[in-house]
């Protein structure tokens, strides 16, 4: 049987491309802040943390699979207005940002 | 004490300590120059104290074994090491099993989803096929009905035509009769 339909394939993104893909799009600096928070509190983003020195790991590869979580962080920042509130929410309810 | 000094005391990279503090206390801003709160320092002292105590306790436990014989001690040590290695192996095996279950779950999920899609598309196809067949049947019926109506119409038309021809003939006969009467009237008048 032939199954027809579309299928999302993993697509590597640069930080700039990913920042532009967010709704509404953000600058690269703001994007790094979201990535920083995500990697600090979400195990799925552990790769983006520098294991030896702390801080962000610039070599970790970003793909389209990371976008939905970053988009949730983006939206949350928009509604709450501060990164600190997002950080607290990420620590207390990480599942809110993961979701299916 | 600031974070930098605290990291030095812990023998850790300051950046990692900052990360950990941010994780624990997201409501505060942390840099390598931030003051480490007293409660953390106190907890840190507790940990270092208990670490210092633990080896003492274990050395007390070791003493009676050491006094028996050298061979016994060796066996004991070996068995300790084996137990420790065992534990690691077991926990490793458990981790592998967990990983396996995870992958198995994912693959089962994918298989299930594919099966679902397959049967969905199959069922959809069946319904559409049935629908198409039904509508074809309906169209066929309509066509035969139309054909029948056309035939009826043609029949009706020919009957009508036949009837009017008949009437025409009758009319002709009547007309002739009329002519005859009129001519006979003429002859009567002449007489």
């Amino acid at each position: 049987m032939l199954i027809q339909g579309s299928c999302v394939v993993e697509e590597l993104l640069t930080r700039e491309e990913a920042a532009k893909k967010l709704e509404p799009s953000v600058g690269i600096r703001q994007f790094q802040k979201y990535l920083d928070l995500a990697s600090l509190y979400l195990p799925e983003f552990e790769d983006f943390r520098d294991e030896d020195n702390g801080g962000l790991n610039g070599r970790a590869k970003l793909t389209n699979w990371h976008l939905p979580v970053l988009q949730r962080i983006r939206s949350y920042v928009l509604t709450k207005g501060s990164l600190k509130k997002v950080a607290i929410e990420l620590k207390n309810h990480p599942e809110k940002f993961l979701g299916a | 004490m600031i974070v930098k000094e605290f990291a030095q005391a812990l023998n850790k990279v300051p950046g990692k300590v900052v990360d950990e503090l941010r994780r624990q206390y997201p409501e505060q801003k942390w840099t390598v120059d931030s003051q480490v709160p007293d409660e953390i320092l106190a907890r840190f002292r507790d940990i270092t104290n208990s670490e210092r105590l633990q080896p003492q306790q274990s050395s007390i436990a070791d003493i009676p074994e050491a006094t028996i014989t050298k061979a016994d001690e060796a066996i004991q040590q070996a068995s300790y090491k084996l137990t420790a290695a065992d534990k690691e192996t077991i926990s490793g095996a458990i981790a592998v099993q967990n990983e396996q279950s995870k992958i198995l779950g994912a693959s089962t999920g994918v298989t299930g989803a594919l099966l679902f899609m397959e049967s969905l598309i199959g069922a959809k196809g069946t319904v559409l096929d049935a629908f198409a067949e039904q509508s074809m049947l309906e169209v066929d019926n309509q066509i035969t009905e139309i054909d029948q109506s056309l035939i009826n119409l043609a029949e009706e038309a020919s009957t009508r035509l036949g009837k009017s021809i008949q009437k025409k003939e009758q009319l002709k006969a009547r007309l002739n009769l009329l002519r005859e009467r009129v001519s006979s009237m003429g002859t009567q008048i002449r007489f």
Side-chain angles (χ1 to χ4, degrees):
Chain A
M1 165 166 285
L2 179 74
I3 296 175
Q4 287 178 319
S6 64
C7 152
V8 185
V9 184
E10 189 176 69
E11 179 191 354
L12 278 179
L13 297 170
T14 65
R15 308 290 197 260
E16 285 88 349
E17 284 167 345
K20 276 194 198 121
K21 277 189 188 239
L22 290 185
E23 247 342 284
S25 65
V26 288
I28 183 78
R29 283 182 156 221
Q30 191 69 11
F31 183 79
Q32 297 276 26
K33 280 182 185 160
Y34 299 161
L35 204 56
D36 176 50
L37 288 180
S39 61
L40 208 53
Y41 300 105
L42 304 175
E44 283 75 3
F45 280 72
E46 235 171 26
D47 286 353
F48 292 92
R49 215 77 213 151
D50 191 316
E51 228 176 285
D52 302 322
N53 301 313
L56 273 175
N57 172 12
R59 286 180 301 278
K61 294 279 177 269
L62 193 71
T63 74
N64 50 340
W65 291 95
H66 294 109
L67 282 179
V69 175
L70 292 167
Q71 179 59 53
R72 278 187 202 108
I73 294 176
R74 168 81 183 122
S75 307
Y76 204 83
V77 172
L78 279 180
T79 52
K80 295 290 163 177
S82 90
L83 284 169
K84 196 204 282 178
K85 281 181 184 152
V86 180
I88 295 168
E89 196 66 17
L90 271 165
K91 177 177 161 63
N92 295 330
H93 305 284
E95 73 284 349
K96 266 193 192 172
F97 295 86
L98 297 173
Chain B
M1 197 187 262
I2 64 169
V3 174
K4 222 188 281 178
E5 296 161 346
F6 184 58
Q8 216 162 25
L10 285 170
N11 208 12
K12 279 187 174 165
V13 187
K16 295 272 287 181
V17 177
V18 171
D19 273 6
E20 198 46 49
L21 286 169
R22 287 182 64 196
R23 250 181 221 127
Q24 300 277 331
Y25 305 93
E27 60 285 344
Q28 285 182 54
K29 215 170 154 56
W30 295 99
T31 66
V32 283
D33 298 315
S34 308
Q35 279 290 331
V36 180
D38 286 340
E39 50 167 306
I40 297 177
L41 282 177
R43 223 196 300 163
F44 167 63
R45 281 194 199 102
D46 278 355
I47 293 164
T48 44
N49 283 344
S50 61
E51 269 172 5
R52 232 173 281 144
L53 280 174
Q54 261 166 358
Q56 281 176 358
Q57 283 173 338
S58 61
S59 66
I60 292 165
D62 280 342
I63 292 165
E65 289 152 24
T67 48
I68 309 172
T69 59
K70 289 264 177 195
D72 269 358
E73 193 189 350
I75 290 166
Q76 200 92 34
Q77 291 249 334
S79 85
Y80 275 147
K81 274 180 192 158
L82 275 176
T83 325
D86 261 2
K87 270 183 194 156
E88 249 171 63
T89 316
I90 289 168
S91 67
I94 289 170
V96 169
Q97 265 179 359
N98 283 345
E99 207 60 28
Q100 247 176 358
S101 317
K102 232 159 79 183
I103 292 163
L104 196 69
S107 67
T108 315
V110 170
T111 318
L114 282 176
L115 274 174
F116 173 76
M117 275 170 71
E118 194 186 302
S119 55
L120 174 84
I121 290 166
K124 207 167 148 187
T126 316
V127 171
L128 282 178
D129 280 356
F131 178 72
E133 224 146 275
Q134 191 73 36
S135 30
M136 258 153 64
L137 216 68
E138 192 57 35
V139 171
D140 279 353
N141 284 344
Q142 298 272 355
I143 287 172
T144 38
E145 225 164 275
I146 290 170
D147 281 357
Q148 194 55 49
S149 304
L150 279 173
I151 290 166
N152 289 349
L153 184 70
E155 267 173 12
E156 179 72 25
S158 57
T159 334
R160 289 271 154 218
L161 194 63
K163 270 185 186 162
S164 36
I165 288 168
Q166 232 178 327
K167 287 255 177 317
K168 204 172 138 193
E169 289 304 315
Q170 283 172 358
L171 276 174
K172 245 187 207 166
R174 292 272 194 296
L175 196 66
N176 283 341
L177 199 68
L178 191 70
R179 273 190 194 136
E180 257 171 54
R181 288 283 161 91
V182 168
S183 61
S184 73
M185 266 168 78
T187 46
Q188 273 180 10
I189 290 168
R190 237 185 271 160
F191 283 116

